[in-house]
Amino acid sequence: MQAKTQLAEQIEDAERKEDILKYDNYAKKILSHKMILAYILQRVVKELKGMSIPEIVSCFEGDVKVGTEALMSDFIRGENLEDWRYGEGRIFYDLRLSLANIEGHLKLFVDVEAQKNFWPGYSLPTRGIVYGARMISSQIETEFPLPDYGELKKVYSIWICFDPPKRVGNAISVYSMKKEDLLGHIPCEETAYDKLSVVQICLDDSSPDQGDRMIRLLNTIFSGNYTSKEVEETLEDEYNIPMSRAFKEEVGIMCNLGERIAENATKKGMQKGIQQGIIQSVKKLLENGIPSDEVKRLLKVTDEEIRLAKK
């Protein structure tokens, strides 16, 4: 019976992992929608301030696919998703794109990363700096020949965190290069050194969005607290994002996966709570001097549960 239970748990874990992987893939597809990307960039990319959503969309370069999968024209492709440099290792981008014909700027490069883990053992802005630096070095002999460094284009690495700590809630932080005069003043245009920015966006639908439209948009799509119909209505009515049939299907599948993941997480939490309650009951009986065999008979528990209670 115990082996059966363990096998069932292993199957459930495998199904949960598969659902999470599918959800991640659909989340990246949703993020690749041009108008959703435009709302994100309008909020955090200072070079795009004052531009309308259609104007930003018109700046997107590249054909229309993410990775190797072709998509409809509402989406933008991720370009150079794998970046390898001799001696520097390999980087995989979730979505990398470029924008051109921006007033005062020839071009911008942007990397957008969907991130579940707020603290994967290091600070995400540090990783963002590495991704941004790679986007800078990859421009050599592709965007400009050495030593024509004046043609270097600015890069943004944007990290969207879906599960930040409650103390953080909804938040947006930008990390960028600044000039500091330690003695006197060296004349230098900001555009000469302001070449790399890392943006961290934290989403928490249970916290106030403080009236931020971009935060509300992303929470509506990705929080898992809304049906696909509610998401569709918000995107159409509040953000003027047309819902084509293909896009509706993407949103519907992602919302269904999100609901299933949430239900499985709740179920697993309840099972863990029940298990902890059983262990506590076993522990109390053992502390009262009742032999292990008698405890097993009374509570119908396993040797493993006896061992955990003693531990």
Side-chain angles (χ1 to χ4, degrees), residues 25-27 29-33 36 64 69-75 228 231-232 235-236 241-255:
N25 289 333
Y26 277 100
K29 287 182 183 180
I30 299 299
L31 282 173
S32 72
H33 190 283
I36 291 172
V64 194
E69 183 173 352
L71 295 171
M72 59 188 197
S73 60
D74 288 342
F75 295 79
S228 58
V231 173
E232 291 170 18
L235 266 58
E236 284 186 318
I241 298 176
M243 297 297 296
S244 65
R245 187 172 70 176
F247 189 35
K248 283 184 179 181
E249 289 177 0
E250 304 279 6
V251 170
I253 293 171
M254 193 192 69
C255 287

Side-chain angles (χ1 to χ4, degrees), residues 40-187:
I40 296 170
L41 300 183
Q42 183 190 56
R43 182 68 178 89
V44 302
V45 175
K46 68 180 184 180
E47 290 79 7
L48 303 178
K49 298 291 185 186
M51 293 180 64
S52 68
I53 296 301
E55 286 172 338
I56 294 172
V57 169
S58 70
C59 293
F60 289 135
E61 286 195 322
D63 56 16
V64 194
K65 62 180 181 178
V66 175
T68 57
E69 183 173 352
L71 295 171
M72 59 188 197
S73 60
D74 288 342
F75 295 79
I76 192 163
R77 76 179 178 95
E79 57 183 38
N80 300 326
L81 294 179
E82 179 180 347
D83 190 312
W84 182 85
R85 291 287 181 277
Y86 180 77
E88 296 182 19
R90 183 174 276 104
I91 282 177
F92 292 93
Y93 299 97
D94 281 353
L95 180 64
R96 181 177 171 181
L97 59 138
S98 55
L99 298 93
N101 302 317
I102 305 162
E103 186 177 352
H105 300 271
L106 295 176
K107 201 170 187 179
L108 292 173
F109 288 99
V110 179
D111 152 49
V112 180
E113 299 290 326
Q115 181 70 26
K116 295 187 299 294
N117 194 348
F118 179 83
W119 180 261
Y122 51 83
S123 180
L124 287 176
T126 305
R127 184 174 172 186
I129 291 170
V130 173
Y131 279 45
R134 184 64 67 85
M135 285 192 288
I136 284 178
S137 65
S138 67
Q139 294 181 45
I140 299 173
E141 303 301 340
T142 58
E143 291 295 321
F144 67 91
L146 291 176
D148 193 7
Y149 292 102
E151 293 299 310
L152 177 67
K153 279 76 176 180
K154 185 174 181 179
V155 303
Y156 277 85
S157 185
I158 301 172
W159 295 75
I160 302 175
C161 302
F162 295 114
D163 191 21
K166 289 297 179 185
R167 69 180 186 277
V168 175
N170 292 304
I172 306 171
S173 292
V174 180
Y175 309 82
S176 56
M177 298 181 69
K178 303 291 183 184
K179 175 176 177 279
E180 180 182 4
D181 287 320
L182 299 181
L183 178 65
H185 173 72
I186 301 173

Side-chain angles (χ1 to χ4, degrees), residues 204-303:
D204 181 1
D205 191 51
S206 64
S207 299
D209 60 24
Q210 302 179 63
D212 193 291
R213 278 173 55 76
M214 186 268 289
I215 289 291
R216 170 164 165 70
L217 172 64
L218 296 182
N219 272 327
T220 300
I221 297 171
F222 297 113
S223 69
N225 296 329
Y226 302 91
T227 65
S228 58
K229 184 66 176 174
E230 290 171 328
V231 173
E232 291 170 18
E233 289 176 352
T234 299
L235 266 58
E236 284 186 318
D237 298 342
E238 294 186 32
Y239 294 91
N240 298 315
I241 298 176
M243 297 297 296
S244 65
R245 187 172 70 176
F247 189 35
K248 283 184 179 181
E249 289 177 0
E250 304 279 6
V251 170
I253 293 171
M254 193 192 69
C255 287
N256 290 335
L257 285 168
E259 288 176 10
R260 196 156 71 200
I261 291 167
E263 287 171 2
N264 286 335
T266 301
K267 179 181 174 185
K268 191 171 183 180
M270 291 175 65
Q271 290 172 340
K272 186 176 180 181
I274 293 169
Q275 179 69 13
Q276 288 174 339
I278 292 170
I279 299 302
Q280 288 299 317
S281 298
V282 172
K283 181 171 175 281
K284 287 180 180 178
L285 291 179
L286 291 173
E287 286 174 343
N288 288 328
I290 299 175
S292 298
D293 290 343
E294 184 66 9
V295 173
K296 285 174 63 179
R297 186 186 68 79
L298 289 170
L299 298 182
K300 295 181 173 56
V301 293
T302 63
D303 289 332

